[in-house]
Amino acid sequence: MTKIPTPLELPPTTVKPEWIDFNGHMNVAYYLLALDEASETLDEFLGLSAEYRETTSNGTFAGNIHIAYLREVKEGDPLRRTGRVIACDAKRVHCWMEMYHAKEGYLAAEAEAITLHIDLSARKVAPFPPEVKVRLQSVYKKHKNLRLPKNLGRQIKVKRR
C-alpha cells in the first residue's frame, strides 16, 4: 500500500479570470469549485475514482458542505489545497480541506464535507464495499492522529437579541 500523507496534498491551481466577481476577487461559488476539483483527487486516493464508478455502478454524492471564506484571493493567485479524513463509517466519509495562497502562505478557505456512498443504479445511499472500507479505515487511522481543525463542526449564527 502507498504511504498515506498527512494531510494529503491536492493538486495546486491558479485563480482563473472567470472566477473573479465585481469586487475584484474570487467569487464564493468558485471557492466551492476549486475545493470540489481538489476533492476528486482525495476521492481517487480513497479508492473512489472514475474507474470505480464505471466498474461498480457506485459513486459518491455530497451530503453536506460548509465553507469558511477566510481571506480573499485574486486573479492569478496560486492556490495550494490539502485534504484529510476526519471520520468514516459504513456509508459516509467526513473530510476536511484547506485552501492556501501558495506564495504568501495564508489560509484562504476551509471546507468540511460529508460524502455519501451511493449505489448509482438505485440512486440510494449504500455501504462501501470491503476493499474501499479497508482503504478508508487505513487513511482515517493515519489522519486521526492530526490535531482536529479549530473550526470543525462550527455552527453559523448571529446572536439574537
Side-chain angles (χ1 to χ4, degrees), residues 65-124:
I65 299 174
H66 296 186
I67 298 175
Y69 306 94
L70 305 173
R71 293 216 22 209
E72 69 180 351
V73 290
K74 297 180 179 177
E75 183 178 340
D77 284 349
L79 302 175
R80 176 180 158 257
R81 301 168 294 181
T82 64
R84 63 187 268 208
V85 174
I86 297 294
C88 56
D89 64 16
K91 300 176 183 180
R92 301 172 297 176
V93 182
H94 184 180
C95 294
W96 182 266
M97 292 188 296
E98 295 177 338
M99 187 168 67
Y100 296 87
H101 189 288
K103 283 187 181 170
E104 296 181 24
Y106 63 80
L107 181 60
E110 51 193 22
E112 181 175 7
I114 298 288
T115 300
L116 308 171
H117 185 256
I118 303 294
D119 174 341
L120 294 170
S121 59
R123 311 300 281 187
K124 294 188 181 219

Side-chain angles (χ1 to χ4, degrees), residues 1-61:
M1 183 174 284
T2 59
K3 184 178 185 242
I4 299 170
T6 55
L8 178 65
E9 286 289 330
L10 305 172
T13 195
T14 301
V15 178
K16 297 169 180 49
E18 59 270 23
W19 293 0
I20 302 303
D21 66 14
F22 52 84
N23 290 313
H25 60 201
M26 191 159 92
N27 180 274
V28 296
Y30 292 102
Y31 279 76
L32 175 58
L33 177 68
L35 290 163
D36 186 56
E37 286 177 349
S39 74
E40 290 178 16
T41 300
L42 181 57
D43 284 348
E44 288 175 12
F45 189 78
L46 296 173
L48 302 167
S49 65
E51 181 182 342
Y52 170 77
R53 283 188 299 280
E54 291 167 10
T55 60
T56 66
S57 294
N58 291 315
T60 58
F61 285 0

